[in-house]
């Protein structure tokens, strides 16, 4: 990723533009093994690697409006995901959304998530995503969590980056999060009572050992869920930081007995060590569902190809 590029700015512009063009072609092609899909995954991987090696390019890409265009394409992908039952209460909605996390993953959507995750590491790009007019950032990302634990971890770390105190558009993101019911969703994810009550169903959905999964896969899933919970706690804490809407977020957390059990604990021990500001924790999870969105996919999981569901 840190190899010298003759003209990094022009190369980044051409790379992202080509990626968006191929996204349009692949989205119109129902064949999941199409050459356009392969190119999208390759171009997304190349763009992520370029931004990791040349961090200042992220702000430049955002200034040209590419971050908003990527978010709009992602919104068109997430529009196909069934919405949670609006008539259900917050706790029931949290349980429903948790049951949806094993919905069929979207490879194209995952490649967009990976690139947005990398863009969000830059303050300028995070502010551009928060003020995007084509689609709201937080509701779009929250819906994408239904694609599985890998997508959920990408979404949560993207939100963690975007909600950084240095982002001048933080208040916009917090308002979107409150409107999208993100606080209730994350508390439902952390609620050990709901997970234990539906443990049998979750085991079958997640491919637990009882459902025929190998111990190695079960261990990978446990690690993913631990990372997911740790990131959820970080996002909830950021939502309650000082700002125009922090009082509403803090009040919602104060009413929750689940948050009372988590708020004073340290959870960074559940995050893999070695994460950097550029890569985050996603690149360190090389097994389980998260490997599906590692671009390119790690060689250690040959059984989880693009056609695996």
């Amino acid at each position: 990723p840190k190899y010298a590029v003759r003209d990094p700015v022009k190369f980044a512009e051409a790379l992202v533009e080509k990626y968006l063009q191929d996204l349009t072609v692949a989205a119109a092609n129902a064949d999941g093994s199409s050459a356009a899909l392969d190119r999208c995954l390759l171009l997304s991987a190349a763009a992520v690697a370029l931004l990791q090696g040349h961090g200042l390019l992220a702000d430049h890409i955002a200034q040209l409006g590419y971050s908003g265009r990527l978010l709009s394409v992602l919104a068109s992908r997430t529009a196909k995901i069934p919405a949670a039952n609006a008539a259900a209460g917050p706790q029931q909605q949290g349980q429903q959304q948790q049951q949806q996390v094993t919905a069929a993953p979207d490879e194209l959507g995952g490649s967009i998530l990976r690139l947005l995750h990398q863009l969000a590491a830059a303050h300028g790009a995070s502010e551009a995503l928060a003020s995007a007019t084509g689609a709201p950032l937080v509701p779009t990302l929250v819906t994408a969590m239904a694609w599985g634990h890998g997508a959920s971890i990408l979404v949560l770390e993207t939100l963690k980056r975007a909600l950084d105190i240095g982002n001048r558009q933080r208040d916009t993101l917090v308002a979107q999060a409150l409107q999208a019911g993100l606080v209730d969703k994350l508390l439902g994810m952390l609620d050990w009572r709901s997970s234990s009550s539906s443990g049998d169903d979750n085991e079958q959905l997640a491919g637990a050992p009882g459902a025929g999964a190998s111990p190695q896969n079960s261990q990978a899933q446990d690690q993913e869920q631990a990372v997911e919970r740790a990131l959820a706690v970080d996002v909830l804490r950021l939502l309650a930081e000082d700002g125009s809407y922090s009082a509403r977020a803090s009040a919602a957390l104060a009413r929750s007995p689940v948050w009372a059990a988590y708020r004073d604990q340290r959870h960074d021990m559940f995050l893999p060590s070695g994460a950097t500001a550029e890569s985050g924790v996603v690149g360190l999870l090389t097994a389980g569902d998260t490997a599906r969105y590692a671009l390119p996919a790690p060689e250690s999981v040959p059984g989880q190809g693009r056609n695996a569901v």
Side-chain angles (χ1 to χ4, degrees), residues 240-291:
E241 289 286 348
D242 288 342
S244 300
Y245 301 95
S246 60
R248 287 177 55 190
S250 298
L253 293 175
R255 293 192 298 266
S256 171
V258 174
W259 183 243
Y262 276 89
R263 63 186 176 192
D264 296 324
Q265 298 182 21
R266 289 191 59 184
H267 300 88
D268 52 355
M269 67 183 70
F270 297 106
L271 298 176
S273 59
T276 65
E278 292 79 14
S279 66
V281 301
V282 176
L284 301 178
L285 299 175
T286 57
D289 185 55
T290 307

Side-chain angles (χ1 to χ4, degrees), residues 217-250:
N217 286 342
S218 178
Q219 184 178 6
Q221 290 162 3
D222 290 342
Q223 182 187 26
E224 287 176 339
Q225 291 171 1
V227 170
E228 200 174 6
R229 288 191 293 268
L231 290 173
V233 171
D234 288 341
V235 171
L236 287 171
R237 284 174 175 161
L238 285 169
L239 290 174
E241 289 286 348
D242 288 342
S244 300
Y245 301 95
S246 60
R248 287 177 55 190
S250 298

